[in-house]
Amino acid sequence: MNAAFLAFAHLRWHWARSVVMVLVAAVILAVPLVSQTLLRGSEQSLTARADATPLVLGARGSQIDLVMGALYFGEDRAQPVTMKAAEAVWESDLALPIPLNTMFTASGARIVGTTLDYFSFRGLEIAQGRRFAVLGEAVLGASVARRLNLSPGDTIVSAPENLFDLDGVYPLEMTVTGVLAPTGTPDDEAVLTDVKTTWVIAGIGHGHQDVVAEGDDPVTASAALEQYNRITPDNIDSFHFHGAPEDYPLTAVLIEPYDTRSETILRGRYLEPENPLQLVVPSDVVDRLVERIFRIAALLDAVAGLVGLAAAAAVALALFLAWRLRAPELDTARRIGAGRGMILRLAGAEIAILLGAALLMAQGIVIVVQSRSNTLLTWLIAQ
Amino acid sequence: MIDIADLDFAYPRGGFRLDVPRLTIERGARVAVVGSSGTGKTTLLNLVAGLQVAARGHVTVDGQNLSALSDTQRRAFRARRIGFIFQNFALMDYLNARENVLYPYRIAPGLVLDDAVRARAEALATACGIEDRLDRHPGALSQGEQQRVAICRALVTRPGLILADEATGNLDPHTKTLILDLLFERAAEAGATILAVTHDHALLPRFDRVIDFSELRRAA
C-alpha cells in the first residue's frame, strides 16, 4: 500500500513523463488489438455483404473492382455497362436484375442510382419519410443523414464532376424523401435515388424551357434557355432523355436468380472470354480478397510486433534511466531503513500503475474503434 | 550509548582503512566529529548506523552489537532507533512536507503509520515552526525550512540516536544557529544522542564533546 502511495505520488509529480510513457505503452498494446478488431470486422463485413449478393454482372475486367464498386460503392469501379445488359437478364426470365449507377457523389456520399427492388433485396427499412417515387428524389443512408443533419424535405446537391467542362455534368439538387434505418453496411453511407435521376445528373436527361413557346415572344434555343437544376412538380414534365434507353450507362447489375437452376444457366451465358460482360459470384471474389488481406496482415503484424518491441524497449530504457536519476532518493531510503524488497515493490508499483493506465487506455481505444468499426470499415472498404 | 572497540574497517577495493581502538559516547550527549576530508568521518557514521559492517571489532548502539545482527535486523534497528539528517536535506521532491516527515513510515519495515504517528508529526512540525508549510513541496520551501522538515523526519520515529552529516553545511550563519538550536532542543526532549559530522568550527563550542577524527583514527 505504501509502495503504491509513493509510486502514485511520484508518477503524479512527474505527470508529463508519466503521460508520455502511458501513451506509448497504450499505443503498443492497442495497435495489435485494433488491427485485429478491424481485420476481423472487415472480414465479417466483406463476407456478409458478399454472401447476401448472389451474382454481379458487369464489364469484363477486374473482378475485385466490379464487386467492390457494386457492393461497397468503392472509388475504383469497373468499366460501365449499359441498360441493355440488365434488360437481357430481365428478358431471360431467370433472375431479377437490379441496375446500379454509382458514378456520382453528393456531399462526400456515393449516389446510388437503382430501382425500388434494391430496398427489398437489401432488406432496407425506412426510418423517416418514404422511398423515392419520382425523378429527383433521394433516400439517405443513416450515416449520411446524421453527418449532414438532413431529414425528409431537405435537399442534397450532387457534386460537379468537372468545373471546367461547360458541356458536362451539372449539379442536381435532389429532394430528400426518406432516411434509412441504420444497417451497419455501406448503405448507411449512400444516397439512394432512381437510376433515371443519375442519368439526369449525367446529362443524358434534362429539363428546360420549351423552345417553341406560344405568343409573340418565343424563347429560342440559345444561352438564354434556362436549364433546370432542380426537378419540381412544375418542371418535371419538361424532363426528357436523349438517345436509346438500352445505351444508358450503369456501373453494375446486381442479379438475384429465381432458383439454383436459373443461376447455373445464367452463369453459363457469360463464360466465354469474348463476351464483354462477366457474371461473378461476389463471395468467391471476396474470399480470395480476404485471403490476400490476411496474408498481408500477418506480415504487418510481424512488423508491428518488431516496432512494438522497439517501443517497449524504449519505454523500459526510459524507466531504467528514471530510476538511475532517483539514486539519491533510493540511497536515502536505504539509509532510513528500506530494504531491497521495498525498492523492488516501489519499482513494481510504478510499472504496475503505468501498465494499468496503459491497459485502460488501450482498452478505451479498442472500445472506441469497436463502437465506430461499422462506419470505419465502411469508409475503409469504400476507399 | 555508543560503544566502539577495536574497530578495523576497510573498503573491499582497498585504499582506505579505518582503525578505531576505542570510542564511547554517553546517551543524550551532543558530540561533534571534526577532521579533514578523507579521514573517515562519514564512514564512522555509516558504521554506527549499521550501513557498513567492520571485519573486526564491534559497534554497539544502545546495547545492541550491530555486527551480530543480520542485514534485515540492522535495517529494522536503523529504522526504529536512528534518525538521519543530511547536508542536502535529502527530501523527496514529489512529496509535500507532511509526507516527507512521514516518509520513514512509508518505506521502513516494522513501522506502522497510524493516527498517533500523524499527530506526532504535526506536533514536531509545530515545534519546528513549519506547521503552515506542511502542504508544500520541498521546491516551495526555503533551505532552512527544508532542513526543519528533515529534522522532523529524523525525529518522528523517536530515535535514540541522531546522525547528522554536515547538517548545517548548506545554510547561512543565522539559519545554522537556529537549526542547531532546534535540533538540540528536540533531541533533548526525546533524550536522543547526537553524533554530528561538521567542518564548521564556529559551532563546536555548542557541543558537549568534540572528537577530532584525525587524532582518533590510526592509519594502518
Side-chain angles (χ1 to χ4, degrees):
Chain A
M1 196 62 191
N2 284 327
F5 172 85
L6 292 173
F8 183 73
H10 186 261
L11 292 173
R12 192 178 57 182
W13 183 249
H14 299 286
W15 63 269
R17 192 181 65 197
S18 305
V19 165
V20 169
M21 285 203 277
V22 166
L23 280 175
V24 171
V27 169
I28 293 170
L29 293 169
V31 163
L33 294 174
V34 165
S35 68
Q36 283 303 316
T37 302
L38 289 179
L39 272 175
R40 300 288 166 209
S42 61
E43 183 193 6
Q44 283 168 7
S45 182
L46 281 166
T47 51
R49 187 119 168 138
D51 290 344
T53 312
L55 298 168
V56 173
L57 179 65
R60 195 165 287 279
S62 166
Q63 293 190 343
I64 289 177
D65 283 352
L66 176 61
V67 170
M68 297 306 279
L71 271 62
Y72 310 102
F73 315 135
E75 289 283 342
D76 298 322
R77 288 181 299 278
Q79 288 296 310
V81 293
T82 61
M83 263 306 276
K84 190 177 173 185
E87 282 168 3
V89 175
W90 180 257
E91 283 161 8
S92 72
D93 206 24
L94 295 170
L96 172 69
I98 301 171
L100 289 178
N101 187 6
T102 61
M103 291 175 186
F104 307 108
T105 60
S107 302
R110 183 64 54 186
I111 296 172
V112 179
T114 185
T115 60
L116 290 175
D117 288 332
Y118 187 80
F119 287 84
S120 47
F121 175 70
R122 289 287 182 218
L124 302 178
E125 289 178 9
I126 298 287
Q128 297 174 54
R130 59 170 175 81
R131 297 177 182 183
F132 54 78
V134 295
L135 214 57
E137 290 185 341
V139 173
L140 305 185
S143 302
V144 177
R146 190 174 58 246
R147 191 176 72 240
L148 301 176
N149 196 24
L150 293 177
S151 54
D154 294 331
T155 59
I156 185 167
V157 182
S158 68
E161 292 297 300
N162 189 342
L163 284 174
F164 304 105
D165 182 3
L166 298 177
D167 194 33
V169 176
Y170 288 93
L172 179 72
E173 190 175 7
M174 295 172 283
T175 304
V176 176
T177 59
V179 175
L180 294 177
T183 59
T185 70
D187 294 319
D188 288 349
E189 288 288 340
V191 176
L192 300 179
T193 187
D194 193 292
V195 67
K196 295 187 193 77
T197 303
T198 60
W199 294 332
V200 171
I201 297 170
I204 297 166
H206 60 187
H208 50 71
Q209 287 176 301
D210 197 346
V211 292
V212 185
E214 292 177 2
D216 298 332
D217 188 18
V219 177
T220 54
S222 72
L225 189 70
E226 187 184 343
Q227 293 276 343
Y228 299 122
N229 61 359
R230 184 176 183 191
I231 302 167
T232 65
D234 295 334
N235 67 19
I236 192 167
D237 290 337
S238 76
F239 275 81
H240 52 278
F241 294 86
H242 295 273
E246 68 263 25
D247 293 335
Y248 296 167
L250 298 174
T251 46
V253 184
L254 302 179
I255 306 290
E256 190 180 16
Y258 296 134
D259 50 44
T260 312
R261 180 177 163 276
S262 302
E263 180 180 342
T264 308
I265 295 170
L266 210 51
R267 288 176 69 179
R269 292 185 181 177
Y270 295 91
L271 287 177
E272 296 84 13
E274 296 77 26
N275 192 329
L277 300 174
Q278 63 177 336
L279 191 62
V280 299
V281 181
S283 56
D284 292 348
V285 176
V286 166
D287 283 348
R288 288 198 297 273
L289 182 66
V290 166
E291 200 179 312
R292 271 190 232 173
I293 290 172
F294 273 80
R295 270 207 300 270
I296 296 167
L299 184 68
L300 288 177
D301 278 349
V303 173
L306 283 174
V307 172
L309 213 60
V315 170
L317 181 66
L319 273 173
F320 173 73
L321 291 176
W323 272 91
R324 287 287 293 271
L325 287 174
R326 293 175 72 181
E329 175 198 338
L330 301 180
D331 184 55
T332 302
R334 191 176 63 88
R335 282 172 180 274
I336 289 174
R340 197 172 292 127
M342 181 65 200
I343 304 295
L344 286 174
R345 279 202 298 280
L346 262 178
E350 281 203 11
I351 291 169
I353 291 171
L354 286 173
L355 272 180
L359 268 172
L360 279 177
M361 188 173 277
Q363 200 173 14
I365 293 170
V366 172
I367 289 170
V368 168
V369 170
Q370 275 175 337
S371 69
R372 296 176 182 278
S373 62
N374 278 340
T375 312
L376 208 57
L377 288 170
T378 304
W379 177 79
L380 281 173
I381 291 168
Q383 295 306 304
Chain B
M1 192 182 100
I2 302 172
D3 182 32
I4 299 174
D6 299 325
L7 184 73
D8 181 12
F9 173 81
Y11 284 105
R13 290 181 184 174
F16 177 85
R17 191 176 192 90
L18 183 64
D19 193 354
V20 182
R22 187 80 193 184
L23 174 63
T24 305
I25 298 171
E26 297 302 318
R27 171 178 279 279
R30 297 176 295 190
V31 179
V33 180
V34 295
S36 50
S37 296
T39 50
K41 301 186 297 294
T42 300
T43 302
L44 177 73
L45 291 195
N46 288 343
L47 287 162
V48 171
L51 286 162
Q52 286 165 326
V53 182
R56 193 167 62 81
H58 70 260
V59 178
T60 304
V61 178
D62 283 346
Q64 180 65 60
N65 180 2
L66 298 184
S67 308
L69 298 178
S70 69
D71 188 49
T72 306
Q73 287 170 324
R74 274 201 304 279
R75 263 205 323 271
F77 180 80
R78 195 159 64 236
R80 283 195 309 274
R81 302 299 301 149
I82 299 174
F84 286 90
I85 303 172
F86 306 95
Q87 180 177 2
N88 62 357
F89 321 129
L91 300 178
M92 310 305 149
D93 61 350
Y94 60 92
L95 297 176
N96 63 23
R98 179 182 286 104
E99 287 301 334
N100 264 291
V101 173
L102 296 171
Y103 187 69
Y105 287 88
R106 298 284 187 193
I107 52 120
L111 297 181
V112 179
L113 180 58
D114 55 21
D115 289 344
V117 174
R118 290 181 188 282
R120 189 158 70 241
E122 298 280 340
L124 271 169
T126 304
C128 290
I130 52 164
E131 69 276 14
D132 58 343
R133 298 286 191 272
L134 287 176
D135 291 325
R136 296 190 183 184
H137 284 253
L141 299 174
S142 69
Q143 294 210 315
E145 288 169 338
Q146 288 185 49
Q147 197 59 304
R148 287 165 197 249
V149 174
I151 289 171
C152 292
R153 183 180 64 188
L155 290 165
V156 74
T157 56
R158 291 188 289 200
L161 172 64
I162 293 170
L163 300 177
D165 194 354
E166 295 286 359
T168 57
N170 278 354
L171 303 175
D172 62 74
H174 176 65
T175 311
K176 271 181 191 178
T177 310
L178 287 176
I179 291 294
L180 210 59
D181 286 344
L182 192 65
L183 177 59
F184 286 172
E185 283 169 24
R186 301 282 81 78
E189 281 174 12
T193 306
I194 295 175
L195 183 59
V197 168
T198 182
H199 281 106
D200 193 342
H201 286 252
L203 298 175
L204 297 183
R206 313 193 55 170
F207 286 87
D208 300 330
R209 182 180 165 195
V210 176
I211 299 171
D212 188 337
F213 215 69
S214 304
E215 289 176 13
L216 179 79
R217 186 188 154 208
R218 222 175 37 223

